[in-house]
Amino acid sequence: MEVKVVKHILEANERIAYQNRNLFDDRGIVVVNLMGSPGAGKTTLLERSIEALKESTPMAVIEGDITSSYDAERIAAHAIPTVQINTGGACHLDGNMVRDALPELALDGVRLLVVENVGNLVCPAEFNIGEHHKAMIISTTEGDDKPGKYPLMFQVSHVLILNKIDLLPHLSFDMERFKEEARKVNPKLTVIPISCTTGEGLETWFRWLEERTRGKA
Ligand code: MG
Ligand code: ZN
């Protein structure tokens, strides 16, 4: 019984996600669904990305949080179109929430829309929102065992950003083990180690974003 209900919800979501995706394609906008735990560095990564890509890649951002508009305020300070979705308790975004937020965004001229999902390593991985790419960010402080414990998020993601590598000297995080575990659950996963604090590795991430966006003139 329960299984049926869940299946129905996911199927209904797939239809709306498909409609969102068509709308993005019609407008020539590449959409990235950015997922990760609370505190992994999603919003900070976005702030760095906006500053770096300002000239080359007009961006807009949808912020997803259970409550508050802290993150949208941080992003809006960088003078790009931003809208906050408050899920009111739900621990992930779905296609419907994203569709309802779109009229609030000035999308003319926008080439890249990044949707920052609710901080959560589990169910955001189950819900498509109409994105072209799923990106996940995890920080070294979360531990090198996470790919094996939360495999779905690693399986569905196209790129994995490993943040806070500047903290490695203080942690027992084993980089080789982490990469090996991640590739075990998703052999195609691109891993980009970065530090938003020192800036290390960020260029690689910016190029990844630019390449995805450029293909969609
Ligand atoms: Mg955030
Ligand atoms: Zn959820």
Side-chain angles (χ1 to χ4, degrees):
M1 191 72 155
E2 203 184 329
V3 172
K4 244 184 195 167
V5 173
V6 170
K7 191 166 172 246
H8 176 75
I9 290 169
L10 287 175
E11 278 172 3
N13 184 65
E14 274 308 300
R15 275 196 300 279
I16 297 165
Y18 180 77
Q19 289 162 4
N20 289 349
R21 170 84 173 247
N22 281 340
L23 186 146
F24 297 139
D25 285 342
D26 285 348
R27 303 196 63 155
I29 300 171
V30 171
V31 180
V32 174
N33 182 2
L34 180 62
M35 305 177 289
S37 306
K42 297 184 292 302
T43 311
T44 303
L45 180 69
L46 272 178
E47 292 187 279
R48 300 283 182 278
S49 307
I50 293 161
E51 286 308 313
L53 301 178
K54 228 174 201 170
E55 309 297 326
S56 68
T57 313
M59 267 173 81
V61 168
I62 293 177
E63 282 293 335
D65 280 292
I66 290 172
T67 179
S68 88
S69 58
Y70 298 153
D71 286 356
E73 285 160 22
R74 283 171 62 184
I75 298 299
H78 297 269
I80 64 160
T82 310
V83 64
Q84 176 83 51
I85 298 175
N86 280 151
T87 63
C91 45
H92 59 267
L93 294 178
D94 64 22
N96 207 25
M97 294 178 208
V98 169
R99 180 176 65 183
D100 289 350
L102 292 177
E104 310 296 326
L105 274 180
L107 288 175
D108 281 345
V110 167
R111 302 286 310 282
L112 173 64
L113 170 64
V114 181
V115 181
E116 181 184 333
N117 219 306
V118 179
N120 179 347
L121 264 191
V122 187
C123 44
E126 294 174 35
F127 289 82
N128 291 324
I129 54 175
E131 71 277 66
H132 299 92
H133 306 285
K134 290 184 200 285
M136 74 167 291
I137 177 169
I138 190 164
S139 59
T140 53
T141 53
E142 294 172 64
D144 52 27
D145 59 351
K146 292 302 169 291
K149 294 177 78 168
Y150 300 92
L152 185 64
M153 179 71 75
F154 290 83
Q155 274 160 11
V156 300
S157 293
H158 302 105
V159 62
L160 164 60
I161 302 134
L162 176 64
N163 192 21
K164 308 188 191 179
I165 56 170
D166 54 302
L167 297 179
L168 282 172
H170 310 284
L171 305 169
S172 60
F173 187 96
D174 182 337
M175 181 72 89
E176 285 318 304
R177 181 195 176 190
F178 177 76
K179 285 184 173 173
E180 199 183 298
E181 293 257 320
R183 293 202 171 109
K184 218 183 281 171
V185 293
N186 183 352
K188 284 193 273 188
L189 192 56
T190 301
V191 183
I192 306 179
I194 66 155
S195 164
C196 284
T197 305
T198 66
E200 193 179 347
L202 281 176
E203 276 303 315
T204 309
W205 163 243
F206 299 151
R207 295 292 84 75
W208 189 93
L209 275 178
E210 275 185 335
E211 279 163 20
R212 299 304 164 299
T213 311
R214 219 182 297 127
K216 288 301 274 195

